[in-house]
Amino acid sequence: MFFLASLFSLKGHHPLPVFPPIPSYMYTLPRVSVPHRNLVIKVEKDLEMEKHGRKPEPNIFASVWRFLRRCLFLVLALGPMPNHIAFIMDGNRRYAKRRNVKEGTGHGVGFTTLTSICQYCYEMGVKYVTVYAFSIDNFKRKPEEVQSLMDLMKEKIDELLEEDSIVQKYGFRINFWGSLDLLSEPVRLAAEKVMTHTADNTGPVLSICVAYTSTNEIMRAIKKSCARKSFRTQGYVNCDGESVCEDNNGYVTVADLEENLDTADCPDPDIVIRTSGEARLSNFLLWQTSLSHLQNPNPLWPEFSLRNLVWAILEYQKIYPYLEARRRLAKKEN
Amino acid sequence: MLSSLHLNPTLNYATLNYSSTLLLLRGSRRRTRRGGANDSLVSTAHPARQYPSLSASLAPAREEERKEEALLPPHLRPESLPRHVAVIMDGNSRWAKARGLPSSAGHEAGYHTLKKMVELSCQWGIRALTVFAFSSENWTRPKMEVDFLMTLFENVLKESLGEFLREGIRICIIGDSSELPQSLQKLAKEVVDKTKNNTQIDLIVAISYSGRKEITQACQNIAQKVKDGLLEPEDITESHIEEELETNCIPEFPNPDLLIRTSGELRLSNFLLWQSAYTELFFTNTYWPDFGEADYIEALTSFQNRQRRFGQRIN
């Protein structure tokens, strides 16, 4: 894996180590702004064509690129691969501002990035992907911005059920985590529809956190645990010798809380990536990321590309033995 | 290889540009703020400004301003310092191993670093400091090391009680104290009682602590309230949970503004999970015994340069 790391560093403009030395977890290859503006224009054209029902034309370069990717992922898979990656998709608005385009375009390009990353994760064999789309704190923003984000979300959620979406292509199962009752009716209904439609899919799992904060999730889990415990003690639940009722006299345990969290049927994230260089969790999966590898690459979310993803996985593979030992100890402890 | 380098995580070009702008602003603010005798005798560009003792002899500066200058490093602004800093003191064993010493030497050196950090925090006006001394996962370490650590905690508490009272440090101990030796439990209770009226700085020491267990314990307390009929399950809110957390011993700012983790590990390891929702994280490759004033200033400078939005927009 160090060979691959050095390959990437030579491709960039500075090999490791570098003066002034840059820590590996903050290492990114330099951004090139001109091609990205072209990318934005291309994406806008593609979005325009898709809106009018015309598919963008495939080309031979796409097939060659797909083949090269497959080779790269085969080499990457020689090392330990993460099972679950979580993304905090930060920087859409800054991206639009820097390129002097409309604010909504940043979020549109961000959605395209999300679908590409999901595709790469599927090709790499990463089974679970979680993204932080909208926090409960984001409701405090200007009503126009919140409304436009809700409209964009509804549009994109509906697109997930279309023929050429990642759901149909790769068999993704979609989860929506959060207090969905805080969302507007159309968005909530669309989300529930997608969850029902994809509940039986056996492919990778994409969990989208909307109207979500981790403290809210833990609070709802506590409410459910307390309600369940009080029902049990008041005799509303018929135990009939079930082993689940033989818990410690109504004491709430770590396992009780964990089974009532939104993330109950997902393993904890192996890597948490927050784009745009900010180093904080912002109330995202606080319970679940206790032993996750935290990374904060500098590129904004719409600029986050395959090379950043591969670099993130290489970083993870470097510390994997130590992390795995810690996880085994933690499991033993619990 | 990488772990031996002293790497500076704040050097990305965004913070470099921002911090140099701040230095410029800081300079101009000083000129307008200090009217009177200082300006005519010592200009802000004068190197003597950097050395408080020298500037004191050159210019008759006011007593409080001289003290303030002596206390805070030049480019840190008191109004943007974190009020509550949390530290994961990681790397003692690796530090000792790199020097061919037993891990107990690493822990002792770590204690001296902690002492220095508490002193600096007091000096710079940081109101609360939470340190992760011993995790509930650390009980699986070799018995000799665990016994040494328990003895170290006892000795530290015994010897430093006088200093805590003198310096006005209030001690809180959080974590599952039932697993600690009896003598340590008793001593901890005594120290907490004796220092509870101190106001200079709050020092929370997490011993045998697990963030998940803390939240579960809070849930247990709430479940008890529900059972006693004091609270309905539907009425439970986040503030009910926050009141039950152990860090509520500092009710004014229970959540850390800045969390520092040493030794290059990039994770929270079950420390202050609920409380670090909006905490700025700072990771450094330095091992804890090597973490000095310069590293602390770097962490505080990095914090100062960050834009905290709490999910909202700042225009």
Side-chain angles (χ1 to χ4, degrees), chain A residues 204-224:
Chain A
V205 179
L206 170 63
S207 309
I208 307 174
C209 296
V210 275
Y212 174 92
T213 53
S214 189
T215 46
N216 180 273
E217 182 194 17
I218 295 172
M219 183 196 70
R220 282 183 285 117
I222 290 178
K223 269 193 195 172
K224 276 191 227 161

Side-chain angles (χ1 to χ4, degrees), chain A residues 154-281:
Chain A
K154 166 103 181 23
E155 186 192 321
K156 296 306 174 193
I157 292 174
D158 286 336
E159 273 177 29
L160 284 173
L161 287 176
E162 282 170 17
E163 234 178 66
D164 51 353
S165 70
I166 51 168
V167 170
Q168 309 300 345
K169 270 201 270 194
Y170 307 117
F172 265 87
R173 178 158 64 93
I174 311 281
N175 285 328
F176 283 94
W177 292 339
S179 290
L180 300 182
D181 46 329
L182 294 175
L183 293 170
S184 57
E185 188 82 4
V187 183
R188 190 173 53 82
L189 289 173
E192 279 166 9
K193 185 174 172 197
V194 169
M195 280 200 284
T196 331
H197 263 101
T198 59
D200 296 324
N201 287 1
T202 52
V205 179
L206 170 63
S207 309
I208 307 174
C209 296
V210 275
Y212 174 92
T213 53
S214 189
T215 46
N216 180 273
E217 182 194 17
I218 295 172
M219 183 196 70
R220 282 183 285 117
I222 290 178
K223 269 193 195 172
K224 276 191 227 161
S225 307
C226 289
R228 219 175 269 184
K229 292 286 169 184
S230 67
F231 276 149
R232 204 167 286 156
T233 51
Q234 288 164 26
Y236 290 142
V237 171
N238 191 1
C239 281
D240 264 352
E242 283 172 14
S243 62
V244 71
C245 284
E246 289 163 17
D247 55 12
N248 340 332
N249 295 324
Y251 277 112
V252 181
T253 60
V254 170
D256 285 331
L257 274 188
E258 277 182 345
E259 74 187 20
N260 287 317
L261 290 170
D262 290 344
T263 56
D265 50 0
C266 258
D268 291 342
D270 296 302
I271 312 177
V272 176
I273 300 176
R274 181 175 184 142
T275 51
S276 83
E278 307 279 0
R280 52 181 182 261
L281 283 175

Side-chain angles (χ1 to χ4, degrees), chain A residues 31 137-138 145 252 279-280 290, chain B residues 13 220 269 278 280-281 311:
Chain A
R31 277 171 289 159
D137 298 318
N138 296 153
E145 188 181 342
V252 181
R280 52 181 182 261
S290 162
Chain B
Y13 64 73
Q220 181 57 40
S269 293
Y278 299 100
E280 297 291 333
L281 308 173

Side-chain angles (χ1 to χ4, degrees), chain B residues 283-297:
Chain B
F283 299 105
T284 172
N285 279 6
T286 322
Y287 293 136
W288 174 246
D290 289 331
F291 190 82
E293 186 173 343
D295 302 284
Y296 198 14
I297 292 175

